[in-house]
Amino acid sequence: MTYFLVKQLCDFSLLRRVLPFKVCRRKMPSYNICYRVLRHRWMKSLPVFSSFRSLSTQPAKDVVDLSKFPVDKIRNFCIIAHIDHGKSTLADRLLEMTGAIAKTEKNKQVLDKLQVERERGITVKAQTASLFYSHDGQEYLLNLIDTPGHVDFSYEVSRSLSACQGVLLIIDANQGIQAQTVANFYLAFEAQLAIIPVINKIDLKNANPEQVESQIEKVFDIPREECIRVKDGANRFPVLFTAHASQTSPPVPQISAKLGTNVEAVLQAVVERIPHPGGSVDDPFKALVFDSNFDHYRGVVANIAVIGGRVKKGDKIVSAHLSKTYEVNELGLLRPEEHATQKLFAGQVGYIIAGMKDVKEAQIGDTLYRHEHPVQALPGFKPAKAMVFAGMYPVDQSEYPALRSAVERLTLNDSSVTVQRDSSLALGAGWRLGFLGLLHMEVFNQRLEQEYNASVIVTAPTVPYKAILSSAKLIKEHGGEELTIVNPAQFPDRSVVLEYLEPMVLGTILAPDAYTGKIMSLCLSRRGVQKSMVYIDEQRVMLKYLFPLNEIVVDFYDLLKSMSSGYASFDYENADYQAADLIKMDILLNGRPVEELTTIVHGERAYSMGKAMCERLKESIPRQMFEIAIQAAIGSKVIARETVKAFRKNVLAKCVSRRVSVVLCDNLSQVVLILIRLLQYGGDITRKMKLLKRQAEGKKKMRRIGNVDVPKDAFISVLKRKEK
């Protein structure tokens, strides 16, 4: 079609006259002018037509003098909240009000830059943005960090808090305090940061700010008498701030980030209630690396918080982790795009590029200092403790080197993932990866496919178990009597183990009291032990249960949301290990064990779990030309079995009369068809039995040498349960 249109246009005489010309672009630096020249292809100097366009009288990015922002004019804060309480929307409004981005209707979750964030509608990666804000005639530099709200990305939140002196705790006026709200509050409280509670979404029809105040009093131990309510004259919305702030501090308003209501008061509260960072520009340069990513052309781009001193382009800096020296090639602020500057000073948050080409050179939590002024290294971050482990393998082993590079670069951007090399007889070389949760695993896999075009096979997720060994030989071999098992295929036999230990978590559930009965039944079905039950107001209850991690890691949250109509929220924290009766269960396909489907189950649930996994595998595995036997076995004992029937060719068609062929077209069962064929066939019965026997022998041979391909999604779907 396009070729046809071009051919039609070329018939016009005007276009034929224009085609001999070509467009050239020229620039006059002395006059700051750019112009285009249209000339004949055979001409060298004489222009025919020209169009002038003046370049911008200012550079595309204004050069900012950061030296005019001393430490007392800097505020570093992050936004924390439960998922879908409006963190990213509030960040958009703050960026608009401070001029960091233009005010347009397209500004929706500007800081959610990853494709997976856009598709899922959640924040999975903390993002930084610097804002310039004028207050009472003074210019302030505000460094904002937008954090994720899901429990699987809590490590991003804890790292972001290390670069801040205060937080905005966002609470939905409709949903109230949720499980992750409580978890994030205590993260900030333990870090001794200034906490500003902000009630968001007051424009919703069912918003209830008074109820949120009651919840704050009950959960966060802030008495109602210490919460001062002030009527805002312009919008007639009550505003809330805690009495821990001085009486001259501006109150923190109840806002609508979507409509921009009272957002200006949030900026005022940030300036007046969050303390400025410590340190001085006169101190030796010291910076904390709290995040990083990899650029194919520039190498590692590190996000740093300058603790003291100053750094400029061309300085020689040293990594305390590797003791290697680098030269600063570029540094600047994130607004939210990279905005290069000449220097960074104490208290400021920005990015730095220093020629790190290997992903192993950038260590999250590392300390950077000037070459000639060594300093004491900062404590860094506590390593993330993986809660879920899964095997990851390339679809084709020839793609292993490319996938290894992709995994290394992605783990640089997501340091909470633990990596350990692994191999499988069926899938070849790969890795055993540790994640903070099932959603974390799914997002990591999706980012590999989208950002690095890598196709991988992910095995069924498992949790880390422990075994107390009884054999002196094994104790000497492993260097201790306690063995941690992250791969179910390496689960030791009961004869060499004193006891097994499974990881436990303390789960927090917040939900309307109308769903309490259903939620308790679900928790009991997952071997949960109730620890407490508190009503945070007249309609909402907070339950605390002690769960085995294996019981909640796959589909507990989905079922909880389903039975509570989406109103319940869930969060959990590590609660050490506990002795349990654990059994290794193998899955066999046509008698062959599939290592990737091996799971660890509780002794009381071995039969029901094995039967359910076989049934779900039957639904997931496509039919073949041969019969597939799916078995669940404990040791040599088969406890459950399902069969995937083979496609069957009618080898008796040539033996059946015309009248019987019409009967075969009806929807009759296979057994009835065979009986009809045997009864209606007028020839020798041995001929028919010979054909059926030959077909059975062929099926048996195919079953012996045929391969069964297990779909990629089956490794996770087999572990999900259908609660009645």
Side-chain angles (χ1 to χ4, degrees):
M1 183 67 181
T2 304
Y3 173 77
F4 176 76
L5 290 174
V6 171
K7 186 176 179 182
Q8 289 260 326
L9 290 171
C10 288
D11 291 336
F12 294 103
S13 58
L14 179 61
L15 188 58
R16 284 200 219 102
R17 293 180 183 179
V18 173
L19 285 177
F21 296 94
K22 70 175 183 178
V23 178
C24 300
R25 188 174 182 268
R26 294 291 182 265
K27 182 179 180 182
M28 298 174 63
S30 58
Y31 293 96
N32 202 22
I33 290 177
C34 175
Y35 64 93
R36 290 184 177 85
V37 177
L38 185 64
R39 69 176 72 181
H40 282 282
R41 296 183 182 275
W42 49 269
M43 287 185 177
K44 294 184 178 180
S45 60
L46 181 64
V48 178
F49 305 105
S50 63
S51 64
F52 289 84
R53 180 175 62 89
S54 175
L55 295 177
S56 174
T57 57
Q58 298 179 350
K61 293 182 179 179
D62 296 335
V63 178
V64 179
D65 182 13
L66 296 180
S67 62
K68 68 179 183 180
F69 296 103
V71 173
D72 61 342
K73 294 294 187 293
I74 299 174
R75 302 292 185 269
N76 300 325
F77 68 99
C78 62
I79 305 177
I80 59 175
H82 188 79
I83 188 171
D84 198 31
H85 276 207
K87 298 180 304 298
S88 299
T89 306
L90 176 60
D92 293 343
R93 300 292 85 77
L94 296 178
L95 291 171
E96 290 177 353
M97 295 184 66
T98 55
I101 59 175
K103 292 184 179 181
T104 64
E105 296 181 356
K106 296 181 180 180
N107 288 341
K108 294 181 179 180
Q109 287 77 43
V110 175
L111 294 180
D112 291 345
K113 301 177 181 179
L114 300 178
Q115 182 180 347
V116 64
E117 293 177 322
R118 297 285 183 176
E119 292 178 355
R120 291 178 177 263
I122 60 174
T123 302
V124 302
K125 183 67 183 170
Q127 298 291 346
T128 306
S130 296
L131 318 174
F132 299 115
Y133 178 64
S134 296
H135 178 64
D136 291 339
Q138 300 289 329
E139 191 79 12
Y140 289 87
L141 174 61
L142 312 180
N143 296 309
L144 174 152
I145 302 179
D146 182 25
T147 63
H150 197 279
V151 61
D152 284 10
F153 307 101
S154 58
Y155 192 62
E156 292 280 333
V157 180
S158 61
R159 287 208 328 267
S160 301
L161 294 178
S162 65
C164 301
Q165 287 74 47
V167 298
L168 296 178
L169 181 62
I170 313 300
I171 306 171
D172 192 321
N174 185 28
Q175 299 182 15
I177 292 176
Q178 301 288 304
Q180 196 62 21
T181 310
V182 179
N184 287 336
F185 171 83
Y186 284 109
L187 281 177
F189 184 77
E190 292 171 2
Q192 298 181 352
L193 302 182
I195 301 174
I196 303 177
V198 179
I199 302 177
N200 191 19
K201 300 187 180 181
I202 59 174
D203 58 305
L204 295 179
K205 181 180 179 181
N206 296 326
N208 192 344
E210 293 80 8
Q211 188 178 25
V212 175
E213 289 184 40
S214 175
Q215 294 176 2
I216 292 174
E217 179 182 14
K218 189 84 172 181
V219 179
F220 298 149
D221 198 23
I222 301 176
R224 186 180 295 272
E225 294 76 17
E226 294 186 8
C227 295
I228 302 175
R229 297 195 51 179
V230 182
K231 289 289 184 180
D232 184 81
N235 298 289
R236 294 299 177 189
F237 286 115
V239 294
L240 174 70
F241 73 97
T242 67
H244 298 291
S246 62
Q247 295 299 322
T248 58
S249 300
V252 180
Q254 299 175 10
I255 67 168
S256 171
K258 181 178 180 180
L259 302 179
T261 306
N262 288 350
V263 176
E264 178 72 26
V266 175
L267 291 171
Q268 297 174 4
V270 167
V271 171
E272 299 187 5
R273 296 184 52 188
I274 293 181
H276 61 77
S280 170
V281 293
D282 299 325
D283 296 337
F285 169 68
K286 182 194 293 187
L288 172 69
V289 179
F290 66 90
D291 202 357
S292 61
N293 60 81
F294 189 84
D295 187 277
H296 292 281
Y297 302 101
R298 300 179 297 172
V300 175
V301 181
N303 291 0
I304 62 171
V306 183
I307 307 301
R310 67 187 76 189
V311 62
K312 65 179 184 298
K313 185 176 179 180
D315 282 352
K316 299 288 186 180
I317 61 174
V318 180
S319 164
H321 176 66
L322 297 175
S323 299
K324 293 185 66 174
T325 304
Y326 305 94
E327 181 179 349
V328 179
N329 299 326
E330 183 182 338
L331 74 168
L333 302 177
L334 296 167
R335 287 187 41 78
E337 302 299 329
E338 293 177 359
H339 189 109
T341 60
Q342 293 299 318
K343 298 179 181 179
L344 285 177
F345 298 87
Q348 298 174 359
V349 176
Y351 73 95
I352 189 169
I353 302 173
M356 299 179 183
K357 297 301 181 184
D358 190 352
V359 296
K360 297 179 181 178
E361 298 180 33
Q363 182 75 20
I364 301 296
D366 195 6
T367 303
L368 303 179
Y369 59 88
R370 202 187 298 270
H371 178 64
E372 61 271 15
H373 295 290
V375 297
Q376 184 178 0
L378 297 166
F381 303 116
K382 185 179 179 181
K385 189 171 184 179
M387 307 291 281
V388 179
F389 288 85
M392 181 173 288
Y393 304 89
V395 175
D396 189 348
Q397 281 297 307
S398 62
E399 300 174 357
Y400 180 83
L403 182 58
R404 179 181 59 193
S405 176
V407 170
E408 288 177 351
R409 293 179 180 181
L410 192 52
T411 51
L412 170 68
N413 190 241
D414 189 355
S415 58
S416 59
V417 179
T418 61
V419 183
Q420 182 181 355
R421 289 191 178 182
D422 196 9
S423 62
S424 167
L425 294 176
L427 302 176
W431 300 269
R432 173 69 52 172
L433 301 181
F435 304 94
L436 300 183
L438 188 64
L439 178 63
H440 187 200
M441 184 185 76
E442 293 175 353
V443 167
F444 187 88
N445 185 22
Q446 191 171 345
R447 290 187 65 184
L448 272 179
E449 295 179 353
Q450 293 175 350
E451 299 176 24
Y452 297 95
N453 197 27
S455 181
V456 298
I457 296 175
V458 181
T459 63
T462 60
V463 300
Y465 295 96
K466 289 185 178 181
I468 307 300
L469 302 176
S470 60
S471 170
K473 181 180 179 181
L474 288 177
I475 293 175
K476 184 178 180 180
E477 179 181 344
H478 294 286
E481 63 176 9
E482 189 175 270
L483 175 65
T484 301
I485 307 128
V486 297
N487 190 345
Q490 300 171 356
F491 197 74
D493 189 73
R494 183 71 190 183
S495 59
V496 297
V497 172
L498 289 176
E499 64 176 352
Y500 296 110
L501 304 175
E502 65 176 345
M504 307 296 290
V505 294
L506 182 62
T508 303
I509 303 173
L510 278 88
D513 59 351
Y515 303 100
T516 304
K518 294 181 179 179
I519 293 174
M520 285 184 171
S521 299
L522 174 63
C523 295
L524 289 175
S525 68
R526 298 305 178 95
R527 296 193 286 136
V529 178
Q530 184 175 337
K531 292 297 181 180
S532 67
M533 178 177 175
V534 178
Y535 277 85
I536 62 175
D537 58 30
E538 293 79 7
Q539 298 178 348
R540 294 182 64 80
V541 62
M542 181 169 65
L543 302 168
K544 286 188 178 291
Y545 273 85
L546 188 66
F547 290 104
L549 178 59
N550 189 40
E551 296 287 342
I552 66 167
V553 75
V554 177
D555 58 348
F556 178 81
Y557 185 70
D558 294 336
L559 292 171
L560 179 66
K561 281 288 187 181
S562 176
M563 66 174 45
S564 65
S565 302
Y567 288 110
S569 62
F570 179 66
D571 180 45
Y572 60 87
E573 57 183 292
N574 184 32
D576 211 357
Y577 282 76
Q578 185 173 293
D581 178 21
L582 303 177
I583 298 174
K584 174 184 173 183
M585 184 173 67
D586 295 310
I587 299 296
L588 312 178
L589 296 181
N590 283 342
R592 299 178 183 176
V594 181
E595 181 181 311
E596 293 73 29
L597 290 174
T598 301
T599 56
I600 308 301
V601 297
H602 196 268
E604 297 177 353
R605 306 194 172 194
Y607 174 74
S608 59
M609 191 70 179
K611 188 173 186 300
M613 289 184 66
C614 290
E615 291 174 351
R616 283 189 288 274
L617 268 177
K618 181 180 179 180
E619 299 173 358
S620 302
I621 297 178
R623 293 178 66 185
Q624 307 287 335
M625 292 301 296
F626 53 90
E627 187 178 88
I628 302 174
I630 305 171
Q631 297 170 311
I634 297 176
S636 58
K637 180 181 178 181
V638 176
I639 60 174
R641 171 179 172 135
E642 293 289 336
T643 304
V644 179
K645 296 296 183 181
F647 288 118
R648 189 178 184 280
K649 180 182 177 182
N650 186 8
V651 295
L652 305 179
K654 55 187 177 183
C655 300
V656 183
S657 63
R658 190 173 300 175
R659 179 168 58 88
V660 176
S661 297
V662 176
V663 176
L664 291 177
C665 295
D666 295 335
N667 293 326
L668 302 176
S669 67
Q670 187 176 356
V671 177
V672 175
L673 288 175
I674 293 176
L675 291 175
I676 293 176
R677 292 169 189 158
L678 292 173
L679 292 174
Q680 297 292 336
Y681 180 53
D684 190 0
I685 191 64
T686 57
R687 169 65 175 165
K688 185 176 296 259
M689 299 306 298
K690 181 180 179 181
L691 292 173
L692 293 174
K693 183 179 179 181
R694 186 183 300 173
Q695 184 186 41
E697 291 175 351
K699 297 287 185 182
K700 184 177 180 180
K701 182 179 179 181
M702 291 177 66
R703 185 168 62 250
R704 186 172 67 250
I705 64 176
N707 294 323
V708 181
D709 293 329
V710 181
K712 291 197 300 183
D713 57 349
F715 291 108
I716 297 178
S717 64
V718 294
L719 297 180
K720 294 186 176 180
R721 310 178 192 178
K722 296 179 180 179
E723 301 289 340
K724 296 182 180 180

